[in-house]
C-alpha cells in the first residue's frame, strides 16, 4: 500500500522524470509529502527512498539538513518571525517575544491545539517590510503586534485559506509538460558536428 | 528613482500590478531579446555579453562573459540559476522572481542558447512560495508560446527548464552546495579545486551557475547591444544594479540604479531614494554588501556604488544589499545577531567555521548581556584570526567555502571601531542601549 495518494504519487513520478538522475527529485518529493501529511512522516520517507533509489536513512539524513523539512509534526500554520539584522533594527526580537506570549509557546514550539508552530527565522528576503513574518512561507506583512494578533485570530477561525493554505502546501502551480528537448539527440548531434569540424 | 537618466533594465515592468502576467510581458517587448538572440550565433551572443562587461550579481562579481568562456566543452553541460537569495538583508531576487518572472525565463533561454545547453535548472529558495508559483507559471507560459521546448521560435534550438525548490539552508546559495542540493543531497560545499562548476559541476558535467539578476539583464543586453550596457556606469561596473536598502532609512526598498553614478549618501538620503534616517540621528555604520562584508561608516558616504570602488575601500558590494544602522544601534547586538546567523547556517564540514562560529556567538552573547570579560575582546579577535588568518580583506581561507572566512567581518569591524562600546557593556554589566 502506498502511503502517498495516487494523485501525489503520479506527480512524484512526473517530477522524477524531469531530472537526469532520480535522486535530484528528493527534496521536491519531500515537499509533496509535507503537503499530504503536514510534515515529513516516516512512511513518506520510506516511499520517497524507494522512488528515487536511495535508502530511507539517506532521505532522512538529507531532509534533516533543511529547515523547511520537518520530520516531526508541526502546526497547521507555521509562523516564522525574522530576527536577522534588518528585522532586528525594526524590532524583530520584540515582535517574536510578542508572538511567544500571544501563542503561549516559545519559538520552536507548537500550540496544544496543534494550530500554530512558532519559529524564529533567519532572513526571509523581504527586509523592506520589517520585521518580516511568513505563515506557511507566505509573506503576510504584519509588522506590528496588533496586526500579528489580528492575523492569528483570523487564521484560527479558518480565514484567508486561499492565500495561506495549510502547512506543506508550497507550490500549487503544476508543470504542464514533461521534458521535450531530447538531450541524447542533442548530444549526438553535437558530437557529429564536432567530428565534422575535426574531419 | 535613479538620479541619472539611465533606463530601467531589469525592473522596467515592476511598476505594473500585473507585471508577472504573460500579457503584460508580451505587451512590453517580452521575448524581443530572445528573438534577436536566435538570429545571432551563440558566439555572437557571448560577444555581446563580454562587451557589456556584465558582472555577476550573486555576490562574487565575476564577469559573466568570462565565466561562460570557461565552460569545459562537453556533450552534456548545464545551466543552473541561483535564486537561493538568503544572504541577510538581500531581497532583490525576491522582487525579480515575483514581479518579472518571464524576463527571468527569457534571460535563461538566451544564456542557454549562448552556452548551447539543452537543460537548465532554476533553483529558488523554498521560502519563495509565491515566487515559485510565478516562475513555474512563466515556464508553462513560455512552453505554450514556443519560447521553450523543441525548436524555439523555429530556430532549431531546444531547451527545457526545470524549476527546483530549495528547502531552507543559506549555504545552498554557495554554488557547489547548490549543486549538491540539486542532486538531492545535504548542501555541503565541494572543494575547489577540483570542483569548479565550469569543469565539474552538476552530475560531474560542466555547469554554469549564474544569479537571477545576472541573467535577467540578458534580454536588454541582446536587444540594445553590449555597448549600450557598457556605456552605463563606469569602468568595470557597467549597466544598472539592484540595491536592496534596509535598516534605519525612511524608504527601505529595492532601487535599480546606474552603477558608480550614485554614492552611498545618494542612496540613503536622496528624497526619491532612501529618504534619510527616521530618528534624525546620523549614520553609525553601514553594511555595504551583505553581512559577509566589512562595515563602512560616515566617512564612506561619498563613495560611489561601484564594485571596484567599494573593494578598494576595503569591503565589497557583494549582493548589493545595504543596511543602515543609525546612532541608536547597539553594535555588540548587531555583531552578535550576524554571528549567530553564521553559526546556525554553517554546514559543519570545517572545524574553524563550525566550532569558531559557535564560540564567537556565545562570547558575543555574554558580552551583549553584560556578562563579558575584558579578555573577551582579544579572545574574539584571536578566534577570528583562526578562521581567517591575518584578518585581511579579502580574507585568507582555511575552509572549504567562504562562509567561514566571512564570519570575522562584522566582529572585526565592530571591535575595531566601537571598542569603547564593547567595554561599556563590560563595565556597566549590561547593554547601555537596552
Ligand atoms: C555562503 C555563500 C552564499 C551565497 N549565496 C548566494 C545566493 O543566495 N545567491 C547567489 O546568486 N549567489 C550566492 N553566492 C554566490 C555563488 O556562489 C555564485 O558565485 C553565484 O551564484 C554566481 O552567479 P553570478 O556569477 O551570476 O553572480 C553565495 C556564495 C557563498 C559563499
Ligand atoms: S566554511 Fe563553513 S559553511 Fe563553508 S564548507 Fe566549511 S563548515 Fe561548511
Ligand atoms: S533580515 Fe528579516 S527578512 Fe531580511
Amino acid at each position: 500500500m502506498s502511503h502517498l495518494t495516487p494523485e501525489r504519487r503520479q506527480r512524484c513520478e512526473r517530477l522524477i522524470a524531469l531530472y537526469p538522475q532520480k535522486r535530484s527529485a528528493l527534496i521536491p518529493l519531500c515537499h509533496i509529502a509535507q503537503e499530504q501529511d503536514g510534515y515529513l512522516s516516516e512512511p513518506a520517507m520510506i516511499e520517497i527512498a524507494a522512488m528515487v533509489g536511495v535508502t530511507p536513512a539517506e532521505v532522512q539524513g538529507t531532509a534533516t539538513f533543511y529547515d523547511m523539512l520537518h520530520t516531526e509534526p508541526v502546526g497547521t500554520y507555521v509562523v516564522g518571525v525574522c530576527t536577522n539584522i534588518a528585522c532586528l533594527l525594526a524590532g524583530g526580537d520584540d515582535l517574536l517575544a510578542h508572538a511567544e506570549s500571544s501563542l503561549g509557546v516559545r519559538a520552536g514550539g507548537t500550540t496544544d491545539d496543534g494550530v500554530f508552530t512558532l519559529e524564529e527565522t533567519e532572513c526571509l528576503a523581504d527586509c523592506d517590510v520589517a520585521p518580516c513574518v511568513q505563515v506557511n512561507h507566505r509573506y503576510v506583512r504584519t509588522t506590528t503586534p496588533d496586526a500579528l494578533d489580528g492575523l492569528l485570530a483570523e487564521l484560527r477561525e479558518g480565514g484567508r485559506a486561499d492565500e495561506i493554505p495549510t502547512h506543506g502546501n508550497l507550490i500549487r502551480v503544476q508543470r504542464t509538460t514533461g521534458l521535450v528537448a531530447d538531450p541524447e539527440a542533442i548530444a549526438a548531434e553535437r558530437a557529429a558536428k564536432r567530428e565534422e569540424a575535426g574531419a | 528613482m535613479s538620479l541619472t537618466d539611465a533606463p530601467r533594465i531589469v525592473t522596467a515592468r515592476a511598476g505594473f500590478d500585473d507585471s508577472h502576467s504573460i500579457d503584460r510581458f508580451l505587451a512590453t517587448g517580452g521575448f524581443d531579446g530572445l528573438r534577436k538572440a536566435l538570429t545571432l550565433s551563440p558566439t555572437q551572443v557571448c560577444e555581446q555579453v563580454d562587451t557589456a562587461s556584465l558582472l555577476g550579481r550573486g555576490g562574487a562579481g565575476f564577469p559573466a562573459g568570462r565565466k561562460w568562456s570557461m565552460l569545459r566543452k562537453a556533450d552534456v553541460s548545464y545551466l543552473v540559476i541561483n535564486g537561493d537569495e538568503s544572504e541577510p538583508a538581500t531581497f532583490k531576487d525576491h522582487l525579480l522572481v515575483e514581479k518579472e518572472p518571464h524576463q527571468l525565463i527569457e534571460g535563461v533561454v538566451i544564456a542557454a542558447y549562448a552556452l548551447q545547453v539543452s537543460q537548465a535548472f532554476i533553483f529558488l529558495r523554498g521560502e519563495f512560495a509565491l515566487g515559485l508559483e510565478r516562475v513555474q507559471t512563466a515556464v508553462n507560459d513560455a512552453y505554450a508560446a514556443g519560447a521553450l521546448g523543441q525548436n524555439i521560435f523555429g530556430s532549431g534550438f531546444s531547451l527545457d527548464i526545470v524549476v527546483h525548490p530549495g528547502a531552507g539552508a543559506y549555504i545552498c546559495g554557495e554554488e557547489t552546495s547548490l549543486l549538491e542540493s540539486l542532486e538531492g543531497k545535504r548542501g555541503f560545499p565541494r572543494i575547489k579545486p577540483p570542483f569548479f562548476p565550469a569543469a565539474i559541476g552538476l552530475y560531474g558535467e560542466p555547469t554554469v551557475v549564474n544569479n537571477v539578476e545576472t541573467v535577467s539583464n540578458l534580454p536588454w543586453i541582446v536587444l540594445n547591444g553590449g555597448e549600450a550596457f557598457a556605456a552605463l556606469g563606469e569602468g568595470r561596473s557597467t549597466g544598472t544594479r539592484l540595491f536592496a536598502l534596509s535598516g534605519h532609512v525612511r524608504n527601505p526598498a529595492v532601487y535599480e540604479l546606474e552603477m558608480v553614478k550614485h554614492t552611498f549618501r545618494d542612496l540613503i538620503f536622496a528624497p526619491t531614494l532612501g529618504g534619510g534616517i527616521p530618528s534624525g540621528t546620523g549614520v553609525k555604520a553601514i553594511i555595504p554588501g551583505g553581512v559577509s562584508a566589512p562595515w563602512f561608516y560616515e566617512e564612506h558616504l561619498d563613495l560611489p556604488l561601484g564594485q571596484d570602488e567599494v573593494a578598494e575601500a576595503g569591503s565589497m558590494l557583494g549582493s548589493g544589499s545595504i543596511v543602515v544602522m543609525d546612532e541608536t544601534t547597539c553594535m555588540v547586538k548587531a555583531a552578535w545577531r550576524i554571528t549567530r546567523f553564521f553559526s546556525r547556517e554553517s554546514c559543519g564540514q570545517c572545524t574553524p567555521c563550525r566550532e569558531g562560529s559557535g564560540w564567537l556567538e556565545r562570547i558575543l552573547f555574554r558580552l551583549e548581556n553584560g556578562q563579558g570579560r575584558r579578555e573577551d575582546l582579544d579572545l574574539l579577535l584571536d578566534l577570528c584570526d583562526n578562521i581567517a588568518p591575518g584578518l585581511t580583506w579579502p580574507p585568507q581561507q582555511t575552509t572549504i567555502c567562504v562562509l567561514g572566512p566571512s564570519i570575522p567581518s562584522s566582529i572585526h569591524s565592530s571591535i575595531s571601531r566601537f571598542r569603547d562600546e564593547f567595554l561599556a557593556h563590560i563595565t556597566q554589566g549590561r547593554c547601555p542601549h537596552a
Side-chain angles (χ1 to χ4, degrees), chain B residues 56-58 67 82 85-86 170 173-175 209-211 214 402:
Chain B
R57 304 308 201 223
K67 182 181 283 191
N82 189 342
E85 190 163 71
S86 310
Y170 164 65
E174 194 282 334
E175 57 191 10
V209 181
N210 268 141
N211 169 261
T214 310
V402 299

Side-chain angles (χ1 to χ4, degrees), chain A residues 78 80 82 87 121-143 151 160 163-165 172, chain B residues 83-86 90-95 97-98 125-132 134:
Chain A
V78 175
C82 173
C87 292
T121 75
E122 296 301 342
C123 178
L124 296 165
D126 204 40
C127 327
D128 50 346
V129 194
C132 176
V133 179
Q134 273 196 337
V135 177
N136 295 346
H137 308 298
R138 269 72 184 178
Y139 296 103
V140 293
R141 310 217 153 107
T142 51
T143 56
L151 174 73
R160 298 178 65 167
E163 191 191 331
I164 308 172
R172 294 165 298 176
Chain B
D84 190 56
E85 190 163 71
S86 310
T90 307
F91 50 103
K92 64 187 181 74
D93 297 336
H94 176 192
L95 180 143
V97 299
E98 279 189 11
R125 68 179 293 183
E127 293 89 343
F128 284 161
L130 180 61
L132 280 157
R134 293 230 166 128

Side-chain angles (χ1 to χ4, degrees), chain A residues 18-19 23-24 31 61 66-68 83 93 120 122-123 125-126 134 172 174-175 180-181 190 194, chain B residues 75 94 116 119 133 140 143 150 160-161 164 166-168 181-182 184-186 203 333 337 340 344:
Chain A
L18 298 178
Y19 295 92
R23 183 167 179 163
S24 279
H31 283 305
Y66 297 96
D67 291 344
M68 288 175 67
T83 59
D93 48 354
E120 178 182 12
E122 296 301 342
C123 178
D126 204 40
Q134 273 196 337
R172 294 165 298 176
Q174 305 305 323
R175 188 184 166 96
V180 295
R190 229 176 272 166
R194 247 201 320 276
Chain B
D75 290 344
H94 176 192
Q116 290 289 293
Q119 190 167 13
E133 292 182 347
N140 292 346
Y143 274 106
Q150 253 347 330
D160 280 303
I161 296 181
H164 183 91
S181 188
L182 190 48
K185 302 173 191 156
R186 297 168 80 91
Y203 313 120
K333 190 168 185 181
R337 186 59 185 86
R340 191 172 63 147
R344 281 184 174 178

Side-chain angles (χ1 to χ4, degrees), chain B residues 171 189 345-351 353-354 399-405:
Chain B
I171 192 58
E345 298 296 332
S346 166
C347 83
Q349 288 189 102
C350 320
T351 310
C353 173
R354 181 189 63 243
T399 50
I400 294 174
C401 87
V402 299
L403 184 146

Side-chain angles (χ1 to χ4, degrees), chain A residues 143-168:
Chain A
T143 56
T144 63
D146 285 350
L148 181 58
D149 285 346
L151 174 73
L152 296 177
E154 219 180 312
L155 292 172
R156 207 180 270 287
E157 317 238 295
R160 298 178 65 167
D162 286 349
E163 191 191 331
I164 308 172
T166 57
H167 183 256

